[in-house]
């Protein structure tokens, strides 16, 4: 695939591009599901191999010394526009580039980057955009490792944060941005980023991204506006596309629905070149790119992501309908059952489906929740979500154990909260499993 031709105008060698992708037929635009089968890959550049080979190489041969120099000018930022060719596998590779092209399709993103994990994507984003004395504004709760990264690790390098509940109103957002600006001025830094997670892990609370965008535009001059980044792991790429609602950067743990088989760990960042440029430079420097084998597996996963997510979503609706009125269930944090109010309004504007990950509040506390979890026979007792199989876990005792008790309480991460990620099994079997596990409580 990465063969090199001579650029007639400049004499500089450039990599041969795949032939033009078919993205529409007679004015009819092709849907992302169709594009997942071939977009960004030309078999004729790889001996006709229908599927992309896995490029297991640490480095790429240059056509000439001048080509090598030109590539490094792009890699180091001396010349805008990034690398034109393949250089070294810490920077890029064919499998990763095809994956980035296909990921971008779902949200019509200008650019995309893939990473070795969701956390390495988030860490690279923050390292790229946050400096000493800066302030990060973030919604809460966040995935616990993200909270740790912001509150306990970036603080060691002089960055601080203010947080607000995911459900905040526009007025609350205005107030928190004003506070962040004041803090940044006092510290001699800037408000570096607005970081959101919606739906939040594990409560499923939604952030009004449109309201946040309006609040940020009202609070900052255009040239000082911080980017709005959002973790879309729970509903993306099928049920929510936050770039359309005012986000600048969208993050993924691709380990979840995109990967979808609980057999890989990876992350992704989507958005405009303006915001992704510095993140790419940081990834080049610290080497947080996804490996070629994982990228290949993700390409296969993306071919079925719509099928898998649709089935999982339908299953979740049936399972939740069963759990809703069960005498041993105190409540459900399922987006499909939101009552009229501000959260339902955000859901209607931002989401096209309720997802398949939800909170089940068992009547009782930790003991009853553990009894339920230990009795499950089809659903596996494991953290993570978005796989083909149903998983159940106890956030307070597992993923969010490191969150201080007071904060857990404030965020609603209670001892009777069980997080469930519904898979693509037969819904009736799952209902039978939950029924017998609740009987054991
Ligand atoms: C919402 C969310 N963001 C980020 C992550 C981190 O992703 P990874 O485990 O791929 O590093 C997770 C992991 O559970 C998550 O649930």
């Amino acid at each position: 695939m990465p063969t090199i031709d001579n650029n007639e105008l400049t004499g500089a060698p450039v990599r041969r591009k795949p032939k033009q992708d078919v993205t529409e037929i007679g004015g009819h635009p092709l849907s992302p599901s169709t594009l997942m089968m071939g977009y960004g890959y030309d078999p004729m550049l790889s001996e006709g191999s229908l599927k992309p080979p896995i490029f297991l190489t640490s480095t790429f041969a240059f056509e000439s010394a001048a080509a090598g120099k030109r590539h490094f000018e792009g890699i180091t930022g001396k010349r805008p526009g990034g690398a034109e060719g393949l250089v070294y596998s810490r920077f890029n590779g064919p499998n990763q580039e095809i994956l980035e092209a296909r990921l971008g399709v779902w949200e019509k993103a200008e650019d995309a980057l893939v990473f070795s994990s969701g956390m390495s994507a988030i860490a690279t984003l923050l390292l790229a955009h946050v400096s000493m004395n800066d302030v990060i504004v973030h919604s809460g709760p966040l995935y616990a490792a993200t909270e740790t990264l912001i509150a306990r690790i970036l603080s060691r390098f002089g960055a601080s944060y203010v947080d607000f509940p995911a459900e905040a109103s526009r007025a609350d957002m205005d107030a928190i941005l004003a506070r962040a600006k004041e803090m940044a001025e006092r510290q001699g830094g800037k408000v570096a980023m607005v970081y959101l997670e919606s739906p939040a892990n594990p409560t499923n609370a939604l952030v009004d991204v449109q309201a946040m965008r309006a609040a940020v535009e009202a609070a900052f001059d255009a040239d000082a506006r911080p980017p709005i980044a959002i973790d879309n792991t729970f509903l993306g790429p099928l049920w929510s596309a936050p770039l359309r609602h005012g986000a600048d950067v969208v993050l993924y743990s691709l380990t979840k629905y995109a990967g979808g088989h609980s057999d890989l760990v990876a992350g992704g960042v989507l958005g405009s070149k303006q915001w992704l440029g510095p993140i790419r430079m940081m990834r080049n420097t610290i080497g947080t790119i996804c490996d070629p084998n994982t990228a290949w597996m993700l390409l296969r996963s993306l071919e079925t992501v719509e099928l898998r997510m649709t089935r999982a979503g339908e299953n979740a609706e049936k399972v939740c309908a069963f759990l809703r009125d069960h005498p041993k269930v105190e409540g459900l944090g399922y987006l499909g059952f939101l009552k009229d109010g501000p959260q339902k309004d955000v859901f209607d504007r931002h989401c096209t489906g309720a997802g398949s990950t939800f909170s089940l509040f068992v009547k009782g506390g930790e003991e009853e929740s553990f009894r339920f979890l230990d009795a499950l026979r089809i659903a596996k007792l494991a953290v993570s979500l978005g796989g083909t199989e149903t998983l159940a876990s106890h956030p307070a005792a597992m993923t969010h154990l490191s969150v201080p008790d007071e904060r857990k309480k404030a965020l609603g991460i209670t001892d009777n909260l069980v997080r469930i990620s519904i898979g693509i099994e037969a819904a009736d079997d799952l209902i039978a499993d939950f029924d017998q596990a609740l009987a054991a409580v």
Side-chain angles (χ1 to χ4, degrees), residues 329-343:
V329 171
E330 192 179 282
L332 284 178
Y334 171 59
L335 291 173
F337 293 162
L338 287 173
K339 296 199 179 79
D340 283 347
Q343 284 282 287

Side-chain angles (χ1 to χ4, degrees), residues 117-119 122 143 197 201 231 233-234 253 255-256 265-266 385:
S117 70
M119 281 317 300
I122 294 166
Y143 175 60
E197 186 176 298
N201 183 351
D231 187 330
T233 297
F234 269 39
S253 167
T255 315
K256 309 299 187 300
V265 174
L385 59 116

Side-chain angles (χ1 to χ4, degrees), residues 116-122 142-146 195 197 199-201 231-234 251-256 264-267 383-385 399-400 419:
S116 56
S117 70
M119 281 317 300
S120 73
I122 294 166
L142 299 177
Y143 175 60
T146 312
Y195 185 96
E197 186 176 298
N201 183 351
D231 187 330
N232 194 33
T233 297
F234 269 39
L251 292 137
Y252 280 97
S253 167
L254 299 174
T255 315
K256 309 299 187 300
L264 61 85
V265 174
V383 298
S384 202
L385 59 116
T399 45
H400 291 67
R419 192 186 66 186

Side-chain angles (χ1 to χ4, degrees), residues 19-101:
K19 75 168 186 284
Q20 197 69 34
D21 283 303
V22 179
T23 55
E24 52 96 30
I25 290 177
H28 165 80
L30 300 182
S31 73
S33 288
T34 303
L35 294 175
M36 289 307 105
M37 308 313 163
Y39 187 74
Y41 173 64
D42 180 356
M44 291 313 146
L45 296 182
S46 291
E47 308 285 358
S49 173
L50 182 67
K51 295 294 181 194
I54 303 176
F55 287 82
L56 288 179
T57 183
S58 59
T59 195
F60 296 87
F62 301 136
E63 184 80 347
S64 65
K69 181 178 178 192
R70 188 165 170 78
H71 291 337
F72 266 92
E73 284 170 353
I75 290 284
T76 55
K78 262 192 144 173
R79 186 175 41 75
E84 283 173 3
L86 298 168
V87 173
Y88 183 64
S89 294
R90 200 181 76 230
F91 306 148
N92 54 8
N95 299 104
Q96 294 93 326
E97 287 190 350
I98 301 164
L99 174 61
E100 288 167 352

Side-chain angles (χ1 to χ4, degrees), residues 201-285:
N201 183 351
T203 57
N204 263 354
L206 295 169
V207 182
D208 189 339
V209 183
Q210 283 170 320
M212 181 52 90
R213 177 64 183 244
V216 167
E217 283 184 356
F220 296 89
D221 292 337
D223 57 356
R225 182 175 77 73
I228 300 173
I230 180 166
D231 187 330
N232 194 33
T233 297
F234 269 39
L235 288 184
L238 200 61
W239 297 306
S240 167
L243 291 179
R244 279 177 220 158
H245 302 122
D248 298 294
V249 178
V250 175
L251 292 137
Y252 280 97
S253 167
L254 299 174
T255 315
K256 309 299 187 300
Y257 287 97
H261 297 71
S262 307
D263 55 5
L264 61 85
V265 174
V269 174
L270 314 182
S272 65
K273 287 189 191 299
Q274 178 197 354
W275 299 114
L276 264 58
I279 307 170
R280 186 190 296 276
M281 294 293 287
M282 183 59 71
R283 188 185 71 172
N284 285 349
T285 305

Side-chain angles (χ1 to χ4, degrees), residues 313-397:
E314 286 164 6
N315 277 357
E317 198 179 337
K318 290 177 192 160
V319 168
C320 286
F322 163 77
L323 292 172
R324 188 181 210 168
D325 299 319
H326 196 286
K328 299 220 174 131
V329 171
E330 192 179 282
L332 284 178
Y334 171 59
L335 291 173
F337 293 162
L338 287 173
K339 296 199 179 79
D340 283 347
Q343 284 282 287
K344 175 82 163 63
D345 173 48
V346 177
F347 178 77
D348 289 343
R349 280 186 284 121
H350 288 15
C351 312
T352 54
S356 82
T357 301
F358 60 90
S359 325
L360 164 68
F361 297 91
V362 177
K363 269 191 188 148
E366 185 185 270
E367 196 186 330
E368 287 75 10
S369 303
F370 279 18
R371 216 170 283 155
F372 168 74
L373 287 167
D374 288 337
L376 288 168
R377 293 173 64 191
I378 296 174
K380 305 284 187 300
L381 175 50
V383 298
S384 202
L385 59 116
T388 46
E389 65 287 285
T390 296
L391 300 181
S393 64
H394 190 271

